[in-house]
Amino acid sequence: MKIFLVRHGADDEGYRGGWSQRGLTEQGISQSEQLGNYLQHHAEQYEIHTIISSDLPRAVQTAREVEQKLNIPSSFVKDWREMNNGYLAGMLHEEAEKNYPGVYFNALEMDSPFPGGESPRNFYNRICASFDTLCRDMEEQKIKSNVLLITHGGVINILYYLLDKREWSNKSSFHPIDHTSMHTIEKSDNGWILSSMNMVSHLD
């Protein structure tokens, strides 16, 4: 059993992310198309039977490009969203600086939420619970493996720490996670492990 984690394609860097309702840039759409083509051409290698995605627009658009190539419908799940940054979601950087000076992800205390959003600890607990549920559903064959999970950089970073059994906080260092990169988790005799990281060979 394998889970292929994918970060969504590129979005506009001039705006705050999190629960932003903004979609992909042209580059992001191209990256997603390339990922879909790659997975179609290597279908026997990956044997993907299920696609799950965050329901935020940038992840949904990425999933739509892939599902067309694999002919597998996606399930869109709110629990796999990026951290909820509340009122700052999708806000221009300049506007966020003006209205919420000094409010950044890595500047928050673990139990201090974004204005109108969630705290880093809430975010961590949500992703850990979602991952536990996904693994259990796969093991109990409620979900057919292998699974392609299209989500966000912050989510994938938490899963790195969880699988490495290392403590995570919003001040922890960030692993390399490129747009549309693939990160492979597989079930072994020692539980779920990371076996491949930040694969982007599908990109030009």
Side-chain angles (χ1 to χ4, degrees):
M1 287 185 288
K2 293 182 180 180
I3 302 169
F4 303 107
L5 301 173
V6 170
R7 185 185 179 192
H8 59 80
D11 54 346
D12 196 325
E13 295 182 355
Y15 299 80
R16 296 292 170 92
W19 281 22
S20 169
Q21 296 298 306
R22 299 182 64 84
L24 300 179
T25 61
E26 289 186 11
Q27 179 189 18
I29 293 171
S30 175
Q31 291 168 337
S32 302
E33 290 175 346
Q34 290 176 70
L35 174 63
N37 288 331
Y38 174 84
L39 292 174
Q40 182 184 45
H41 294 148
H42 296 83
E44 292 184 3
Q45 175 184 343
Y46 289 96
E47 295 184 342
I48 294 166
H49 292 102
T50 301
I51 301 175
I52 299 172
S53 173
S54 156
D55 67 349
L56 289 172
R58 58 195 187 275
V60 171
Q61 283 184 273
T62 304
R64 292 298 189 202
E65 296 295 338
V66 174
E67 69 179 9
Q68 289 178 30
K69 301 296 183 180
L70 299 185
N71 197 29
I72 299 171
S74 302
S75 297
F76 299 102
V77 181
K78 184 176 180 179
D79 287 344
W80 287 110
R81 289 184 177 192
E82 184 62 278
M83 182 168 172
N84 182 1
N85 56 346
Y87 304 139
L88 285 80
M91 191 177 286
L92 277 166
H93 288 312
E94 294 84 354
E95 185 181 354
E97 289 284 357
K98 178 181 177 182
N99 295 329
Y100 301 98
V103 178
Y104 299 102
F105 172 69
N106 60 3
L108 296 172
E109 297 300 322
M110 279 293 284
D111 293 305
S112 298
F114 272 106
E118 68 185 336
S119 69
R121 194 179 308 280
N122 292 151
F123 177 41
Y124 177 79
N125 290 340
R126 168 165 61 86
I127 298 309
C128 290
S130 299
F131 183 70
D132 286 345
T133 299
L134 175 59
C135 293
R136 184 170 61 252
D137 286 349
M138 291 175 67
E139 290 163 0
E140 295 175 356
Q141 299 183 353
K142 295 178 182 177
I143 293 176
K144 191 173 182 181
S145 61
N146 295 328
V147 172
L148 184 73
L149 174 57
I150 298 171
T151 183
H152 305 268
V155 173
I156 296 172
N157 196 57
I158 283 177
L159 293 176
Y160 266 72
Y161 280 85
L162 179 65
L163 291 162
D164 287 344
K165 297 179 173 60
R166 290 185 293 145
E167 184 177 355
W168 176 89
S169 83
N170 55 313
K171 296 174 175 62
S172 298
S173 59
F174 210 86
H175 290 83
I177 303 171
D178 296 328
H179 288 111
T180 68
S181 58
M182 292 183 65
H183 310 252
T184 304
I185 301 171
E186 57 183 307
K187 184 70 182 296
S188 72
D189 293 338
N190 297 318
W192 293 89
I193 60 169
L194 270 165
S195 60
S196 174
M197 295 168 278
N198 207 45
M199 192 284 290
V200 288
S201 58
H202 56 281
L203 296 179
D204 292 334

